[in-house]
Amino acid sequence: MQTHEISRRFLTHFTNAGHTEVPSASLILDDPNLLFVNAGMVQFKPYFLGEAPPPYPRATSVQKCVRTGDIDEVGKTTRHNTFFQMAGNFSFGDYFKAEAIEHAWNLITGSQESGGYGFDPERIWVTVYLDDDEAFHLWQKIAGMPAERIQRRGVEDNFWSMGVPGPCGPCSEIYYDRGPEHGREGGPVVDEDRYLEIWNLVFMQNERGEGGAKKDYPILGELPAKNIDTGMGIERVAYLLQGVDNVYETDLVRPVITKAEEMSGRRYGAGNPVDDVRFRVIADHARSGVMLVGDGVTPGNEARGYVLRRLLRRIVRSVRLLGVTEPVLPEFAAVVRDTMGPSYPELVKDFPRIESVVRNEEETFLGTLASGLKIFDMAAGEIKSSGGSQLPGDKAFQLHDTYGFPIDLTLEMAAEKGLSVDEQGFRDLMAEQRARAKAAVKKTGHGDQTVYRDLLALGATEFTGYQELDTEAVVRGLVREGVRVPSAVEGDIVEVVVDRTSLYAESGGQESDAGLIVGDGVELEVLDVQKVARKLWVHQARVRRGEVTEGLAVQTRVDPEWRIGARQGHSGTHVVHAALREVLGPSALQSGSYNKPGYLRLDFAWSGALSPETRSEIEEVSNLAVRNDLPVRVVYTDMGGAQEMGAVALFGETYDETVRVVEIGGPWSRELCGGTHVERSAQIGPITLIGESSVGSGSRRLEAYVGMDAMRYLAKERALVQNLASMLRVPDEDVPARVEALVERLRQAEKELDKLRAAQLLSSAGELAGAAEDINGTALVALRAPDGIGGNDLRTLAVEVRNRLGSRPGVVALFSADGPKVAFVVATTAAGRDAGLAAGKLVPAFAPSIGGRGGGKPDMAQGGGTEPGGIDAAITALRGALAS
C-alpha cells in the first residue's frame, strides 16, 4: 500500500466518523516553544489549552512534522528521521476513551477491501498507563485483546503532558509484532525493535501543575471537558504495509537513495555500512530540507535557518564522500517534489523558488567548503610539524561553526591525515553553544494565556475596522500584569478586552492601529493591540482620565491619519510584491513583511543583490500600478477557493477556514491578507525604494516609503542635490561628475600622503635599530609606533628595522593603536631564527595583554587586539619571554 493511500484511508476513515478534515499546518507556526511543528496536535493547542473555543467538536489531520534533536544520529540507524507525517484524530470534549479505541481498532484491523489497513489482530499489542484500568478493560471489551497482550507502563512511557502546566493524561500505545526475526519475545516492554509502536492514543483528562517536563509534577484535578489527541506515524505504517524493514526503503524515501546511487555509481546495501549511512543522510535530509524550504524557511546562521543550512550541507558533504563532485541539491529536490507532490501539491507549484534556494545554498557551501579545507590543512600541517597527533577541540568547533563542517566530516578528514580529534573539547563547546541557545529561547517563552480563558469563552472579538473607524463597544474584561482586575484609574496601563473594536490588531506584518477608547468621563490612549488565540483583540492602553470598569459602554476610535498611512503602507507592500514577481519572476516570493504608516519592508527569497537597474524597474512597475488607479477588491472564500484563484499565502501564517483575499488589479496582485487596504491603488501615493540588502543567504530585503513619506524623502533628496550643486557651483545634473572628480583627486592625494608617510617611517629605521636593547644576546626593538599606522606600514617598517640589525640575533615588535584597536607586527632576523626564535611562537607571550591574537611564520607574524592600554604590558611580556 502506497504512503499517499495510507494517508487517504486515515482521513476518509475519520471523516466518515464525523470528523472535520483539517489541512496540515505549516512547519513553522508562531509558537516560541517550537522551532518547527513536531506533533499533529500543535495547531490545536489553543483548543486544548482553553485559549480559544474549537470550531468543531472533532477533527482529523495528517500533519507534516520535523524533529531535529538528534540530527547527528540520522543515518547511523534506520530509526532516526527528521521529517515525518503524523496522522491524528482529535476530540474536543466530544468523545473519549471508548470511541478513540474503537476508531483506531477498526482502522488498523479492518480489511483493506473495506478501507482499513488489514493488520493481523493477533500481532497487535497495546500498552496502558499503570493504573488506567478503564483503558485496560476497554481494550478487552472492544478489541477482544487478551490480557497478556496489554502491558502497563509508567509515567515516562504512558503519561502525556505538554511539558508545561495545563492538560495532561494517560495514554495507550499500539504496537505491531514484526516477528521473531526482529528480536525477543515478551511485548514492547521487552523489545521495541520487534514490537514497533505505530499509534499513540492520549486521553487528556487531567490538569497538571508546575514541575518537570515528563514527571515530578502535581495533578491538580480533572479537566471539565475530556479530550482525545492521537498520533499515528504514517511512515511506520508504510514500511509495515510495504513489507520493507525501515522508512528508508519505502516508496517516498527510496527514490532519493536511487538517485544518489545513479549519481555516485555506488549501491545502497552492498555491504559498505559507511556508504549506507551517507545514503540515508541524503534521503532523510533531502526530504526535510525541501519541506522546510517549501514552508518558507531559508538557510541562515540562526534558529530555523541554521537547522536547514545544516541539513542541506550534510547532504552535500555526504555526496562528496560518495565521490560525486557536481552540484546535487536541485536534482534531489526534484525527486522529493515528484514523490511528495501528490500529498503536498504546493511543492510542485512552488518548485522554482525551492530549487533556487537549495541551489544557492549549495553554491555558498562549496565556497566555504574550500575555505574550511584550507583551514583544516593548515592546522593539520602545523600539528604534524610540531610532533602533535590531535586536532584541538576549538579548531574542530571553528570548522563546524564557521564553515559548516559536521564533526563526522572533521573526524574523517583527520583520520586520513593520521590525526585524532579532541572530541570532548568539541562537544564541550557545542554544549556551551546549546546552553546559550536554550537560554535565549527561555527568554521568549510561551506566555501564560490562561487569564484570557474566560474571556474567550464569551466569544471572539468582532472587528469592525474594515467598515468604520469608530465603534460602539462594551468592556468585557481588564487585565493588569497577568491578572484580571475589575477597574483601572488614571495613570494605569491596562489590557482592555471589548466585544467589538475598530482598532486593527498587529498581524500579517501590519502594525496595530493608534487611537482611543472613550466612555462617559473616561479616556484611554491605545498603545498596542494584539490578538490572543487569533480571536480575542487585547488593547494595551493608558488611562488618561476617569475610571474604566468591566461592563462599561465605550467607543473605540481609530486615529484617522494613522489609518490612512497604514492602508497606504499595507497596500503598497502588495504592490511592491507584485512588481517584484513581475520583474524577477514568480519564484521571488515574499517570506516576511512589516508595514506601518508611510513605510514598508518586504523580505523575499532571492540570491544575489539586485542591480540598480533592477531596483529602478521594480520601482517603476510599482508606480505604474499606482498611476493606473487599479481597483482593490476583497473576496471571502475557503482555502481551496483561494488556491484556485491563485492567491499567494504568506509563509508560516495560520489561516482560518474562511480566508480573506485582497486583489489589486485583479490577478496582477492577489494575496491572502487580513490587513486594512485602500479602495484604489492611486490612494497609495508615490512609492520610493530606499534600500535593498541581504538578510541571510538566499534572502533579500526591500524597503520603501509610500505616500507623503515618499514625497518628504524625495524632497529631502532634492534639497541635498541642490545644496551640493550650490557648494560645487555647478548645475544639478553635473553634480555626479564633479563629485567623482573630487573623489579621484582625494585618492591621488592619499596615495601621495602614503608615500610620504612610508618614507618618513623608513627614515627612522636606522635610528630604531641603533637603539635596540640587548636581552640575553638578542637585539630587541619593541615600541609603540605613532597611532593610526596600519598593518601594511607597520610590516614595511619592521622589515626595514630587521634589515638594519644585520647579522645579530634579533626581534622587532611594533605596535600601533587606532581608536579601540591595536595592530602589531613581529619580525625575526635569520640569526635569531637559527637561535630558535620564531615570530609566530612569540605572539602568545604578549597577545593577552592587548586582548588580541595573531600568528604567522618563524620570520614574520602579525595580528590585532582590542585593548590599546595594554601595549606597554605587552612589550614587558615580550621582554620577559626573551629573558627566559
Side-chain angles (χ1 to χ4, degrees), residues 87-108:
N89 58 288
F90 309 91
S91 166
F92 311 108
D94 186 22
Y95 61 81
F96 201 46
K97 290 183 186 179
E99 294 90 338
I101 291 172
E102 184 175 5
H103 288 318
W105 182 254
N106 289 343
L107 177 59
I108 287 176

Side-chain angles (χ1 to χ4, degrees), residues 746-767:
L746 181 60
R747 285 199 193 100
Q748 294 301 323
E750 287 176 343
K751 287 181 181 179
E752 292 300 320
L753 283 173
D754 287 342
K755 290 179 182 178
L756 290 172
R757 185 164 52 244
Q760 185 179 18
L761 284 171
L762 292 176
S763 68
S764 65
E767 181 181 346

Side-chain angles (χ1 to χ4, degrees), residues 109 144 166 176 282 416 444 468 547 613 621 651 687 708 783:
T109 61
Y176 181 76
I282 292 166
E416 291 170 357
T444 59
E468 58 190 26
E547 179 181 13
E613 294 76 17
V621 171
F651 294 124
I687 298 173
M708 289 303 299
L783 55 88

Side-chain angles (χ1 to χ4, degrees), residues 32-33 436-447:
N33 288 321
R436 290 193 296 270
K438 285 182 179 178
V441 169
K442 285 183 179 179
K443 287 181 180 178
T444 59
H446 188 68

Side-chain angles (χ1 to χ4, degrees), residues 686-740:
I687 298 173
T688 301
L689 297 186
I690 59 171
E692 189 266 336
S693 59
S694 170
V695 286
S697 177
S699 186
R700 308 293 299 179
R701 171 171 291 171
L702 280 175
E703 295 178 90
Y705 287 133
V706 299
M708 289 303 299
D709 287 84
M711 295 289 289
R712 294 185 188 102
Y713 176 81
L714 293 172
K716 206 179 289 185
E717 293 282 295
R718 181 178 62 202
L720 176 62
V721 172
Q722 289 175 343
N723 286 339
L724 284 172
S726 176
M727 291 167 60
L728 297 171
R729 298 180 181 178
V730 296
D732 292 0
E733 61 270 19
D734 290 346
V735 167
R738 178 57 64 89
V739 170
E740 186 177 2

Side-chain angles (χ1 to χ4, degrees), residues 394-463:
D394 60 347
K395 188 62 67 175
F397 181 76
Q398 179 192 5
L399 288 168
H400 163 82
D401 202 46
T402 306
Y403 299 102
F405 280 39
I407 185 61
D408 45 353
L409 174 59
T410 303
L411 288 168
E412 191 156 343
M413 293 191 305
E416 291 170 357
K417 298 282 188 181
L419 299 173
S420 63
V421 178
D422 176 13
E423 290 187 69
Q424 188 57 50
F426 167 81
R427 298 192 190 286
D428 288 345
L429 290 168
M430 285 293 294
E432 291 176 14
Q433 186 184 65
R434 288 193 188 102
R436 290 193 296 270
K438 285 182 179 178
V441 169
K442 285 183 179 179
K443 287 181 180 178
T444 59
H446 188 68
D448 182 9
Q449 296 183 343
T450 55
V451 67
Y452 304 109
R453 191 176 294 172
D454 292 340
L455 294 171
L456 281 162
L458 297 175
T461 304
E462 180 187 353
F463 176 62

Side-chain angles (χ1 to χ4, degrees), residues 483-499:
V483 178
R484 286 280 296 274
V485 294
S487 63
V489 297
E490 186 174 330
D492 287 346
I493 293 179
V494 65
E495 292 178 353
V496 183
V497 177
V498 292
D499 60 340

